[in-house]
Amino acid sequence: MADFGGIWDSCGRAADEVGRYSKRTSRAVCQISLALQVQPMDLSVEAEDRGGLSGALLRVSDMNDGLNEFATQIGYTVNEKEGVWRVSRGRPGSQKLVQAFPNIETAKGWLEERAQRVVWNLDLEDPAISVRNPNGTGITTVVEITDQAMPDIGPLTISGGVCASLPSGEISSFYVQTTEPPALGFWYR
């Protein structure tokens, strides 16, 4: 079994020697290597033939890009900041943090679980659409989704389920059970 502390310490020393990367960033590089069961590389400054710290950071970027590509297929984005993996959902410019994870493996597992679900949830706070629930309350309903950029086209009517509704008849969540999400609105699993 790998010596996690020793690997992290060597990553931190390499980052300190380079002086351009924080210790947290180099620890994130090591966490990713270990989570993906990749053989840890020597991150010392002398190991230029192996890519050194900059090569490891490129690998982190590639791993994040791969995870992010997977996440966007089910309505999420992933980014790493100071060793914390953050999963958000929503249209760019109006994203909301959903979960934060201590390592890439946990974030990946959470996303894989979500990907197995057969339900797509509509982001009711998506600024690009307006949602109207003409039927009032209930566990199933029909909603009208209107594209804010082209309201003259008229609403798209979709039948689905409601997890919660307000006394006014407004819904606070709406979902459909389908393999692909409807074309209008921002949907996530």
Side-chain angles (χ1 to χ4, degrees):
M1 180 166 221
D3 174 15
F4 298 122
I7 293 169
W8 287 354
D9 288 342
S10 67
C11 289
R13 281 193 305 277
D16 291 342
E17 288 175 29
V18 172
R20 292 179 28 195
Y21 304 104
S22 72
K23 198 169 200 173
R24 286 183 179 166
T25 301
S26 19
R27 286 178 190 248
V29 170
C30 293
Q31 284 178 332
I32 293 167
S33 295
L34 294 169
L36 296 177
Q37 299 175 351
V38 174
Q39 182 66 26
M41 58 186 280
D42 181 359
L43 295 179
S44 67
V45 176
E46 298 82 37
E48 291 182 22
D49 59 319
R50 296 186 192 149
L53 184 58
S54 60
L57 290 172
L58 287 173
R59 284 186 16 202
V60 169
S61 178
D62 289 345
M63 286 182 249
N64 187 40
D65 290 347
L67 185 58
N68 207 18
E69 183 179 327
F70 170 70
T72 57
Q73 294 173 12
I74 58 171
Y76 296 92
T77 57
V78 179
N79 66 33
E80 182 273 333
K81 185 174 181 184
E82 297 181 353
V84 176
W85 294 87
R86 298 161 195 237
V87 177
S88 301
R89 69 169 167 78
R91 196 174 297 277
S94 65
Q95 291 187 324
K96 294 165 267 326
L97 178 66
V98 177
Q99 291 280 348
F101 300 97
N103 56 53
I104 192 172
E105 183 178 72
T106 311
K108 183 180 176 198
W110 187 84
L111 289 165
E112 287 173 344
E113 175 200 325
R114 291 284 191 187
Q116 299 302 315
R117 295 182 178 186
V118 295
V119 170
W120 287 94
N121 301 282
L122 176 61
D123 183 357
L124 295 172
E125 297 175 22
D126 180 357
I129 61 168
S130 65
V131 179
R132 188 170 96 71
N133 178 16
N135 296 340
T137 61
I139 57 170
T140 61
T141 194
V142 173
V143 297
E144 297 173 348
I145 305 172
T146 304
D147 187 337
Q148 295 289 70
M150 298 182 286
D152 296 338
I153 293 175
L156 172 66
T157 303
I158 300 176
S159 296
V162 178
C163 291
S165 60
L166 304 173
S168 65
E170 289 184 55
I171 56 175
S172 58
S173 67
F174 180 75
Y175 65 90
V176 294
Q177 186 171 340
T178 180
T179 55
E180 294 294 321
L184 187 57
F186 190 88
W187 297 82
Y188 61 94
R189 287 215 160 154

